[in-house]
Amino acid sequence: MNFLASSEDILLADSAQRWLRSDAFAATAPSWRDFAAMGWLSLPVAESAGGAGASESTLAVFIEQLGYACCESPYVPAMVMAAGLLGAIEGGSAQSLLAAAAAGDELIVAAPEPLLQASQSGSHPDGWVLSGEQPLVLGGDTASLFILPGYASDGVLRLFAVRRDAPGLGLNKVRCLGACHAADLVLDGVQASVLNEHDVPGLLQLMRDRTTAMACAEAVGTMSFLVEATLEYTNSRVQFKKPLAHFQVIEHYRAELLTACEEARAITQLAIAAIDTDPSFRRRAVSAAKVKVGEAAGLIARQSIQMHGAMGVTDELTVGWYAKRLLAFDVLWGSPEMHLNRYAAMAKDEGVAGTYLAQPQRPTAGIHLCLEAPNLEFRDEALAFLKTSLPAHLVVAQQLTTTVYPEADIADQWHRALYRQGWSASNWPREHGGPGWTAEQRYVWAHESIAAGAPIISPIGLQLVGPVLMHFGSPAQAARYLPPIVSGEELWCQGFSEPGAGSDLAALSTRATRDGGDYRVNGTKIWTTHGHFAHFMAALVRTGASGGRREGISFLLIDMHSPGITIRPIVTIGGDHELNQIFFDDVRVPATNLVGDEGQGWEIAKFMLDYERGGDIMSAGHRRLMAELREVALRRELSDPHAFWLDFATVAVDIDTLEMLELRTLLGCHGASPAAASILKLRASEIQQAVTALGIRVLGRDAIRWESRRPLYDLPGARAEQALVSRYLNSRANTIFGGAREIQKTLIARAAPT
Ligand SMILES: Cc1cc2nc3c(=O)[nH]c(=O)nc-3n(C[C@H](O)[C@H](O)[C@H](O)COP(=O)(O)OP(=O)(O)OC[C@H]3O[C@@H](n4cnc5c(N)ncnc54)[C@H](O)[C@@H]3O)c2cc1C
């Protein structure tokens, strides 16, 4: 698996940006000769044809810069579509044409759709003539040669080469939106030479997909510029005596732009990685990218204009040019509807397994998602373990779980099985009892185990408290508390929220007063997930008497069986008991249970919340729910199947995107957002809600049937359908816990430069 930009790619991006934005290039649009002189035309051409033989991901890095500079050039139609076709054709004149294109001696463009009729004619040496109309051939205004597909009466689709000055070729230049140019071609018995006649439909499809993926990269560049320009404008434009960026509604718009841009970049990376893989994976990835990037492009273009006010609608500002380019992107290379329909058909027929699971294991040059040794062996080991150690009753129990985490007894059985294997603390280092896995191994394990239906084990001890103790705890605390977290003998809950302190956590008032070797704790915590199962609470308490609100807060480990603790169960709208209110009445806690120093609690809480927001691989769970929903949907009679599968596809595209965002964060990709944890939390929670809303659509009128038995797996003969309504209701919490949606948006906006 390789998802990181190479240092050469980063250098290429920097140098392209410098040149494209230099005074020399900015004054007049760079000519095709300039492109050749810079060596950019040789990038996509194989070394055997005199090119640089760059990988698809390197090419995408360069093309993104063209988009960032809103560069007026036919690079994508010429050097991706046409050069790609020529590169794939063996024999004939294709290779010499390609060499001429790489040197800048020819500007060759191709029409992606076959609209012309071809017929054999004895009067021409090559024996073929083309007739018909081929509108809007991109780059056609300046091309020296055209590659045009045409059907002959034998039903075979062939690719033809036609010279610009060929007799009978009518060419009308078209000025287009978004700094591109095209030509409408009218052909009346134009002499044409055959370039290829073997599997031309397949070849055209491949090149259309490849060009769509590269067009997505170009659009990502364009939207990056637009987002930067809008951030800058809202930082500097003062209204009502303060910069626009200081209004919360503008902050949240900024967060939406930044998130959309990150998502577009992530899903484009998938499409680029999929170009050289098998056709069905490629189709799925490219259509996902076109849908998602198109959606982001529309949002960014519209909202950037809006946030520039009247300036945004003038032709004097670059914002409008960039917005027009994004509009052009949206309608080219297959409409959003076509791509969503294509994706939906695949999602219905083949399902939407994890992107790495769905793709063939064949590494390509540049970025790719294939596993290589030793991760490949690890995957086999994981599959073998799941086959032998995951009992069917646990799979059923997880499937019938309506809450965020399954009941403690279900999670406990799986936790202990994992512990026996040494795999319970998947993100921990070996020295503390973890398996010491690499990021790739953690990702593989999350997807494989969840796809197999394994229960989700509570992350509070393993993913939140564990890392806190490793980082801030004393050696004695680590020795006492970490081993039983790994083994599953001791469960934890998180005691942050209080009735008076929700989003504003620093308003907390539960107090710990020093009394000899103990603290005496008084107050109450609320919304404590699994507080009724937990052995310990990781609590934020107030120890300081003065100073700022965040200064007097400390991080205390509290034994939940201590005298003075009472627990009030809270039942959710989904009918489940997962939450509690905890009351502390003079509860004595040994002072040795203070983590870090008194007053360090706020710093530790921020560290823990980052793990809570971005530490998990949420896409794996979403996919499992989608797989279950698909099964139910295929069994049932849906009221409007076409509309349902389109909505299903929309959510699946979001999950593909989330998975790529998670990978970028997990693998530490160059340029990943500084607010990655909040972006992941925001999108993962919204997607969870969208997935569960599909569950209601699948049920239709049957959604009003209510089953109150909990846990549902205790109900003899319970069916997956019966979990859907409660799951939908409980999922409303996803955009509230761990920091509400609005708080995440504020954090994303504030991580951007001001
Ligand atoms: C299922 C579930 C499990 C939970 N588990 C735990 C747990 O184990 N431990 C724990 O400590 N806590 C837990 N919580 C609590 C959770 O962290 C809080 O609910 C959350 O921080 C929001 O606080 P609040 O509910 O008091 O909402 P409030 O802070 O009152 O906010 C209400 C709404 O107002 C909006 N809002 C709030 N502040 C702002 C702002 N500054 N700008 C714009 N809009 C704003 C948001 O839409 C928010 O949803 C859980 C909550 C739920 C629902």
Side-chain angles (χ1 to χ4, degrees), residues 451-463:
I456 293 167
I457 50 180
S458 169
I460 298 173
L462 288 166
Q463 288 183 32

Side-chain angles (χ1 to χ4, degrees), residues 290-314:
K290 184 65 172 55
V291 168
K292 193 71 205 171
V293 178
E295 189 187 300
L299 174 87
I300 289 171
R302 288 189 299 272
Q303 204 54 278
S304 296
I305 292 175
Q306 175 71 22
M307 286 159 80
H308 277 82
M311 288 300 291
V313 294
T314 67

Side-chain angles (χ1 to χ4, degrees), residues 248 494-497 502-503 527-529 579 733 736-738 740 742-743:
Q248 192 186 54
Q494 181 188 18
F496 282 17
S497 305
S503 304
W527 318 125
T528 317
T529 303
L579 305 178
I736 299 172
F737 63 66
E742 291 73 15
I743 298 295

